[in-house]
Amino acid sequence: MLSIGRVGRGDSAKEYYLQLHEEDYYNRKGGGEPPGQWEGRLPEAFGLRGLVDENEFCKLLNAESPTGEPLRRRQANERPAFDLTFSAPKDVSIVHALADPETKRAIEAAMYGAVKEGLKYIEEEACMTRLGQGGAEVVRGDGLAAALFLHGISRALDPQLHIHAVTFNFTTGPDGKYRTLDASKLYEHKHTAGALFRAELAARLSRLGFEIERDGFSFSLKGAPPSLSEEFSKRAEQIRGELGEQEATPKQRDAAALSSREPKRDVDRDELLAEWREVAQQHGFTAERVSELRADVKADDRDETTELRAAVAEALKEITSSQSSFTLRKLVEQTAIQAQTRRLSANQIRLEVWATLEWARRGIRDAQVVHLGQHPDGYERFTTKELFELEREIIETAERGRQSREHCVSDTALARAIAAKPTLRGEQVEAVRHITQFAGRVQCVCGWAGSGKTFMLDAARLAWEADGYTVYGSALSGKAAKELSKGANIKSATIAKWIYDLDNPGRKDRLTLDSKSILVIDEAGMVGSRQLHRLLTEVERAGARLVLVGDDKQLQSIDAGGGFAGLSKRLSYAELKEITRQRHAADRQAVYDLADGNAAAALKSYAERGRLILGEDRADAMRRLVADWQRDKTELEEKLILSSTNRQAATINRLCQRERQRRGELGRDSVTVGDGSEVHSGDRVLFTRNDKLVGVHNGDLATVIKVTTARDERRPGERLTVKLDSGEVLTVALSTYDRNHIRLGCCVTTHKAQGATVENAYVFSYGAMTDAQMAYVQASRARNETWIYTTRDEAGPELSDLAKAMGRSRKKTMAHDTADEAALRQGRGQRLRLCYESA
């Protein structure tokens, strides 16, 4: 992996050099790390070659040439350098630590070669600087200067083979002058450089005779015991324990690494190595076993061209499973991940990706990729031909039915439906009229959170049914489909169920559509393009009507998406903007502000009303949240805690349970559920899998009424008797319902809470997943009060960092929309036409 640390402002250059040069916290009598090496294009210009000298290192760190001349004007708060740390997978670190000297040197050479490829990518793609007033113009810099320091031990004294590539904060601009780096580009390209480093390292280790296996986005060495990797991962566990979650910003990871850092200790290197060997032997991993991992290197008879094309194809498939478009750097990153077991070098990967995208830029008919143009961020966007064609079929299908007046209800039916719902607001009446009387096989309603979409749909259902139409509903989650059934009285099922039934026509009691059918899809903004395409194809075939209802400002689809927003802007649509869920005007305005991207105003409102709580650290923020939640006398099902990640939710749930146990609110008997938690009577639980026989849906929340343990001889077997928030009382036998799909439920992730309405909401806003869509959903769940908890460091000066995170949009768009926007920016008013379209 690659991590980026910032060399602190005002640090003594000499002290920083000595820290790197004498790293690993053992005394020098047992040997030490090799001296640093110069890397990058700029050291050559200074006459620096080979090994790093302390005086020269310190000069560059102070933005001076080796002879002492200032390279550029220094700013008071600038960073002198960035520490790009390339770390080998844990298996490689362990084998390196235990290997014979020859193997050790070969692995170190592979590390240096892989790091240089990662830095080469950074130098060629991420080396940027800024010109003009306020640095408005981003331009390419001409080279980097870096010093490489190889280390083999973590602060926790575990094997950890890594190289610090200390990259000095300057490059040369187009005018030949030295300027600071645009640090944001380093972070943008970090994952890609890290992936290329791992691919290159894997290829070099393969040539040494090691067998490579995929391990998530990284790789491992075949034959190395996983138990030993866990044993030697104390430092990673320390950081995870401090961080408490998998997703975190670089700032949070730096803070966690610093706060969890142990003091330096003097340890004899030979003694430490002997200790490692003893631990490894306990896991059956001896020096002889290490040698056996290196098989005889055989000639590679695989065709590299075939392997490269396969890696790119797999990368394209992986990327477009979740995104409608991608950049060059994303394709390089994913191709490098796919290439780790294919013995492909970083240079081969980059050349193959470049060739693939160059075909697209030229509009060659047989290209598997489509060039969409340049995004406002300065990067080109691409998509696959498969996804582009699929989107085009979605658009063309909707356009073909634009003039259809089938399924338009009579004035009498509409009037009776509206009369039956006297509390409908004006915009709701217009929305009902739009989807029941306007022409078009596809109709869209864009409704803001809490604006009464479900109540509007109930009125539309009455109008359709009065004229003999059958209304069906669908949503991505079982819980959302259940809410649609309950709130709008529309028989509903999940989208997965609809697609399964449509694809399996021989099944009994399958869901079907005909010319008298209306299919309503709720939370349509979360529906992926491939799912939308399948449903829209069936609607057209059956001669039915499709009604898409959603809010593209809320959480986005997990799959490649943007179809709801794309169709809404191409077709006429109704809009519900008047929020009625929140009782108080200030809370409604905060939701409006977050929806409009004005997070600073919303946060200021919460802070002024005492509802933005800043903890000293993550643990303190959680503790204060739980204390306030516990003091709230609102019914359990009407007060909900929202987090960004499952890990956060698990931690907060344990804190809530501990506090409730202390107060005597929970029963004594318990059963163990999926995440290892003990569930007692009185606990809140979350179900995470649909089960028609049991009667629960993914996302259902419930309160445990009774726990039956295996000790109950009258009815053996563990069971939970629960009361769902919808009111039903169920008995869930853990012998039939998988307990791995039950969790504690005082706190749930925001994704699980989309569509929920409660009295009071408590939001833990922390981590890299915070964005505009998540903040909008979090602020719009409660009728009465929303409280936000974070840390002072996370909030930043005058809440600026949190406002920036909450204002960052991750809204998904169709690839066609990206192409259209690029065409407009280039001064072309018409839709993008590709060569293969007109050929």
Side-chain angles (χ1 to χ4, degrees):
M1 63 171 291
L2 168 60
S3 62
I4 301 179
R6 298 178 180 181
V7 180
R9 302 180 181 96
D11 281 1
S12 163
K14 185 172 183 177
E15 288 179 4
Y16 187 73
Y17 170 80
L18 292 175
Q19 177 187 345
L20 285 169
H21 196 59
E22 298 179 1
E23 194 67 80
D24 284 3
Y25 327 125
Y26 52 81
N27 62 39
R28 306 291 288 179
K29 70 177 182 179
E33 302 295 358
Q37 298 181 14
W38 292 113
E39 185 61 32
R41 289 204 292 266
L42 292 186
E44 187 77 20
F46 297 129
L48 301 177
R49 300 178 184 85
L51 304 183
V52 174
D53 174 79
E54 175 184 326
N55 180 62
E56 296 164 343
F57 179 93
C58 293
K59 292 289 187 185
L60 295 189
L61 203 61
N62 288 321
E64 297 175 357
S65 73
T67 55
E69 294 87 2
L71 296 177
R72 56 175 173 75
R73 185 189 306 169
R74 296 189 63 187
Q75 305 295 325
N77 295 322
E78 74 178 21
R79 299 282 183 181
F82 299 90
D83 188 349
L84 278 61
T85 304
F86 294 85
S87 299
K90 180 58 68 176
D91 284 354
V92 179
S93 297
I94 294 170
V95 169
H96 169 264
L98 304 177
D100 60 79
E102 179 188 353
T103 301
K104 190 185 296 284
R105 286 192 296 271
I107 293 174
E108 289 174 1
M111 272 291 289
Y112 275 117
V115 168
K116 289 178 181 180
E117 287 298 329
L119 273 179
K120 179 182 177 182
Y121 171 82
I122 290 284
E123 190 169 49
E124 293 178 357
E125 299 294 339
C127 179
M128 300 289 184
T129 186
R130 289 180 176 268
L131 301 176
Q133 187 174 2
E137 184 183 1
V138 178
V139 296
R140 189 171 296 280
D142 187 18
L144 298 171
L148 309 186
F149 295 88
L150 174 73
H151 298 149
I153 308 173
S154 74
R155 279 185 175 264
L157 303 182
D158 289 328
Q160 185 194 2
L161 183 61
H162 59 285
I163 290 180
H164 294 273
V166 181
T167 304
F168 301 96
N169 191 9
F170 59 79
T171 185
T172 53
D175 54 3
K177 295 181 179 180
Y178 288 98
R179 302 178 181 276
T180 58
L181 293 169
D182 182 352
S184 67
K185 302 304 178 185
L186 298 179
Y187 289 100
E188 286 177 6
H189 289 268
K190 180 183 80 169
H191 291 301
T192 307
L196 286 169
F197 155 73
R198 292 192 303 275
E200 181 72 23
L201 181 60
R204 289 170 178 260
L205 292 174
S206 292
R207 291 195 288 272
L208 293 177
F210 292 102
E211 191 168 348
I212 306 300
E213 296 181 323
R214 274 286 297 273
D215 183 11
F217 64 83
S218 186
F219 70 89
S220 60
L221 300 182
K222 186 175 181 179
S227 60
L228 188 56
S229 293
E230 294 176 9
E231 178 76 26
F232 282 135
S233 298
K234 293 189 288 291
R235 178 64 180 140
E237 284 300 319
Q238 289 173 349
I239 295 176
R240 278 197 294 270
E242 182 68 24
L243 206 55
E245 57 180 276
Q246 294 173 333
E247 294 290 338
T249 62
K251 177 181 176 181
Q252 289 159 356
R253 290 199 178 279
D254 289 346
L258 184 63
S259 62
S260 65
R261 178 179 292 178
E262 296 180 355
K264 295 180 181 180
R265 292 173 281 169
D266 288 332
V267 179
D268 185 277
R269 187 182 187 91
D270 291 336
E271 291 179 1
L272 185 61
L273 181 57
E275 180 183 325
W276 287 349
R277 286 174 174 162
E278 182 179 347
V279 172
Q281 193 166 13
Q282 294 171 3
H283 290 260
F285 202 58
T286 61
E288 292 74 17
R289 184 72 190 95
V290 171
S291 298
E292 291 171 2
L293 293 185
R294 293 184 68 180
D296 292 333
V297 182
K298 300 177 182 178
D300 189 358
D301 57 357
R302 293 180 300 177
D303 182 75
E304 288 185 346
T305 300
T306 300
E307 293 293 332
L308 281 165
R309 289 177 179 174
V312 171
E314 287 297 317
L316 290 170
K317 181 179 178 181
E318 179 67 25
I319 294 171
T320 55
S321 69
S322 60
Q323 299 291 331
S324 297
S325 63
F326 54 86
T327 59
L328 179 149
R329 74 171 184 272
K330 188 64 181 178
L331 184 55
V332 171
E333 175 192 342
Q334 192 55 235
T335 303
I337 291 172
Q338 299 295 332
Q340 289 174 120
T341 58
R342 301 176 185 271
R343 295 189 182 185
L344 299 173
S345 71
N347 188 56
Q348 288 175 308
I349 292 164
R350 292 182 63 190
L351 286 174
E352 183 67 21
V353 170
W354 180 87
T356 299
L357 299 186
E358 184 61 22
W359 275 49
R361 292 187 187 99
R362 297 180 182 182
I364 295 174
R365 184 185 181 93
D366 293 333
Q368 60 181 324
V369 173
V370 177
H371 183 224
L372 302 176
Q374 194 172 61
H375 197 262
D377 63 8
Y379 294 110
E380 291 177 296
R381 291 291 195 278
F382 303 85
T383 192
T384 60
K385 186 175 181 180
E386 175 265 334
L387 185 57
F388 195 82
E389 295 277 7
L390 182 142
E391 284 189 357
R392 182 165 58 183
E393 289 176 10
I394 290 175
I395 295 168
E396 290 178 351
T397 301
E399 294 278 4
R400 279 196 299 270
R402 182 189 284 272
Q403 302 304 319
S404 171
R405 297 203 60 83
E406 299 177 55
H407 313 94
C408 292
V409 303
S410 64
D411 291 342
T412 301
L414 179 60
R416 287 177 178 172
I418 292 173
K421 302 287 183 180
T423 58
L424 284 169
R425 303 188 315 277
E427 66 177 9
Q428 288 176 308
V429 171
E430 289 306 310
V432 173
R433 178 176 289 110
H434 182 92
I435 61 178
T436 61
Q437 285 199 322
F438 277 40
R441 191 173 299 282
V442 180
Q443 296 293 336
C444 301
V445 177
C446 301
W448 292 39
S451 60
K453 296 185 289 293
T454 304
F455 188 60
M456 178 275 299
L457 284 173
D458 194 18
R461 175 191 60 80
L462 290 174
W464 280 314
E465 289 181 345
D467 273 0
Y469 296 104
T470 302
V471 187
Y472 299 101
S474 187
L476 204 60
S477 71
K479 183 181 179 182
K482 181 179 177 180
E483 292 298 323
L484 183 60
S485 297
K486 181 181 176 182
N489 296 297
I490 297 174
K491 180 183 176 182
S492 302
T494 63
I495 289 175
K497 164 69 172 170
W498 271 99
I499 292 177
Y500 181 82
D501 280 6
L502 294 173
D503 289 343
N504 293 273
R507 295 183 67 250
K508 184 180 179 181
D509 299 326
R510 60 186 285 268
L511 297 168
T512 59
L513 298 172
D514 57 33
S515 61
K516 297 292 288 185
S517 300
I518 311 289
L519 179 60
V520 175
I521 299 181
D522 197 15
E523 295 189 352
M526 296 189 72
V527 179
S529 296
R530 292 176 176 87
Q531 295 166 314
L532 181 59
H533 178 269
R534 179 67 187 92
L535 293 174
L536 189 53
T537 299
E538 186 64 25
V539 164
E540 183 181 48
R541 185 204 64 77
R545 172 171 284 202
L546 180 66
V547 179
L548 303 174
V549 181
D551 182 359
D552 61 6
K553 296 174 291 301
Q554 295 194 44
L555 298 173
Q556 303 294 290
S557 61
I558 296 174
D559 303 329
F564 172 64
L567 290 182
S568 294
K569 75 178 186 179
R570 287 173 172 82
L571 308 172
S572 60
Y573 65 92
E575 187 170 27
L576 301 178
K577 296 186 65 173
E578 185 180 344
I579 297 174
T580 58
R581 179 178 294 156
Q582 285 70 43
R583 295 192 183 99
H584 308 296
D587 291 307
R588 291 194 295 272
Q589 185 58 49
V591 176
Y592 282 126
D593 286 335
L594 287 169
D596 289 335
N598 191 3
L603 289 173
K604 180 181 178 183
S605 171
Y606 287 121
E608 289 174 345
R609 290 179 287 147
R611 297 219 227 121
L612 176 58
I613 313 300
L614 303 181
E616 294 302 320
D617 54 26
R618 175 181 168 276
D620 182 50
M622 284 186 173
R623 179 187 59 77
R624 297 176 72 173
L625 183 156
V626 171
D628 289 345
W629 174 87
Q630 180 66 38
R631 279 192 291 268
D632 186 349
K633 301 307 179 185
T634 305
E635 295 294 327
L636 277 172
E637 63 269 20
E638 286 291 344
K639 57 178 185 179
L640 185 62
I641 304 172
L642 307 178
S643 68
S644 301
T645 68
N646 286 319
R647 189 183 288 266
Q648 290 175 359
T651 302
I652 293 173
N653 275 318
R654 286 193 293 270
L655 293 173
C656 290
Q657 186 185 59
R658 193 178 306 155
E659 181 62 21
R660 297 190 68 214
Q661 283 176 318
R662 189 182 69 81
R663 293 171 177 263
E665 298 176 7
L666 304 180
R668 180 173 298 179
D669 288 339
S670 67
V671 295
T672 304
V673 295
D675 61 357
S677 300
E678 297 292 323
V679 170
H680 305 255
S681 60
D683 265 325
R684 294 282 288 165
V685 292
L686 168 72
F687 294 95
T688 61
R689 189 187 72 176
N690 298 327
D691 193 313
K692 186 177 181 180
L693 294 177
V694 174
V696 297
H697 295 84
N698 182 4
D700 274 348
L701 286 164
T703 301
V704 179
I705 300 173
K706 180 183 177 182
V707 172
T708 303
T709 67
R711 296 191 303 271
D712 190 336
E713 295 180 358
R714 293 166 297 176
R715 291 184 64 191
E718 294 178 327
R719 299 183 303 282
L720 293 176
T721 303
V722 302
K723 182 179 181 181
L724 298 178
D725 286 357
S726 57
E728 301 105 304
V729 175
L730 305 172
T731 296
V732 182
L734 300 185
S735 60
T736 56
Y737 188 87
D738 187 350
R739 69 182 70 215
N740 290 318
H741 292 284
I742 302 175
R743 302 175 188 170
L744 292 173
C746 292
C747 177
V748 302
T749 64
T750 305
H751 280 80
K752 288 293 184 188
Q754 178 155 308
T757 301
V758 293
E759 192 67 12
N760 295 325
Y762 296 81
V763 177
F764 184 64
S765 183
Y766 185 94
M769 291 184 68
T770 299
D771 60 23
Q773 287 72 34
M774 180 168 286
Y776 171 60
V777 171
Q778 290 169 336
S780 59
R781 296 306 93 198
R783 306 182 199 93
N784 188 36
E785 292 183 351
T786 297
W787 296 72
I788 299 175
Y789 298 77
T790 190
T791 65
R792 296 186 184 280
D793 187 58
E794 184 83 350
E798 299 182 350
L799 307 178
S800 58
D801 289 353
L802 185 58
K804 182 178 179 181
M806 288 186 168
R808 179 178 59 238
S809 177
R810 291 193 175 115
K811 182 178 178 180
K812 291 188 176 183
T813 60
M814 298 177 78
H816 278 71
D817 292 334
T818 300
D820 289 348
E821 291 165 7
L824 288 172
R825 283 192 302 275
Q826 295 169 19
R828 291 178 284 139
Q830 71 279 0
R831 294 267 310 277
L832 179 68
R833 300 296 180 188
L834 298 163
C835 293
Y836 74 80
E837 290 187 64
S838 57

